Amino acid sequence: GAASRMLERLGLYLPGHIQHFFQLVHEANRGSQDSVDVALVDRVYSDALVRTADSELGHWDQRLEDIIGVEHHNLARALLCEAARPAGLTAAVAHDLGASMGVPPSDATRTLGGILANLVHDWYLVEANARWTFASAYLRDYWLARYGAVYRAVAGGGP
């Protein structure tokens, strides 16, 4: 039903995200005689990414500089954009991105390994079967909406 769909859309059950999303759905349904359905959940989710996601999720981007450092902040963004795509991020694509963004080949494994370890540690990404993907579907969808087009040329990836 609708509650399951809400949790499915979030992906990772962070209390703040759950509270925010449930509040938005509640407000969207206020005054209606209809019960909450999957269509309303999907509409509110899409609207939330447009209207409120920067205020709710923008801090994840701001934290990148603190976690990764100024030198590799843009590389981390590009890696996250690739991880947000359906195929996820592979080590080969990470190395290609690193090379395209000036990481010397002799330093690539250490630099990329450090960035990815930090992104996993701080719950941006999870790693399974030699691919990194977002831990949170909500953050993934926000990331693609916010940065997907900007980093597409760098990543060379598809939709």
Side-chain angles (χ1 to χ4, degrees), residues 2 9 12 16 24 26 56-57 64 75-77 80 85 87 89 93 95 103 105 121 128 134:
R9 295 304 303 250
L12 182 65
L24 291 173
H26 175 73
E56 289 297 314
L57 298 174
L64 274 183
L75 175 55
R77 276 186 176 166
L80 286 168
R85 300 189 197 294
L89 173 70
V93 170
H95 278 268
V103 175
H121 178 268
F134 268 80

Side-chain angles (χ1 to χ4, degrees), residues 61-62 64-65 68-85 89 93 96-98 100-102 134 140 142-159:
D61 182 39
Q62 294 167 2
L64 274 183
E65 195 170 301
I68 304 300
V70 176
E71 182 182 5
H72 297 299
H73 181 239
N74 284 330
L75 175 55
R77 276 186 176 166
L79 292 168
L80 286 168
C81 284
E82 199 60 39
R85 300 189 197 294
L89 173 70
V93 170
D96 289 346
L97 280 169
S100 74
M101 297 182 82
F134 268 80
R140 176 201 63 218
Y142 164 76
W143 206 267
L144 275 177
R146 179 82 168 86
Y147 298 110
V150 174
Y151 287 97
R152 177 163 295 164
V154 174

Side-chain angles (χ1 to χ4, degrees), residues 22-94:
F22 274 66
Q23 179 182 346
L24 291 173
V25 170
H26 175 73
E27 289 171 5
N29 200 50
R30 184 175 291 155
S32 173
Q33 297 299 321
D34 298 329
S35 59
V36 173
D37 61 12
V38 171
L40 177 65
V41 168
D42 288 342
R43 181 175 54 79
V44 169
Y45 184 84
S46 296
D47 291 348
L49 287 174
V50 173
R51 286 188 306 112
T52 66
D54 271 338
S55 64
E56 289 297 314
L57 298 174
H59 68 279
W60 287 80
D61 182 39
Q62 294 167 2
R63 285 179 48 224
L64 274 183
E65 195 170 301
D66 296 333
I67 296 166
I68 304 300
V70 176
E71 182 182 5
H72 297 299
H73 181 239
N74 284 330
L75 175 55
R77 276 186 176 166
L79 292 168
L80 286 168
C81 284
E82 199 60 39
R85 300 189 197 294
L89 173 70
T90 63
V93 170

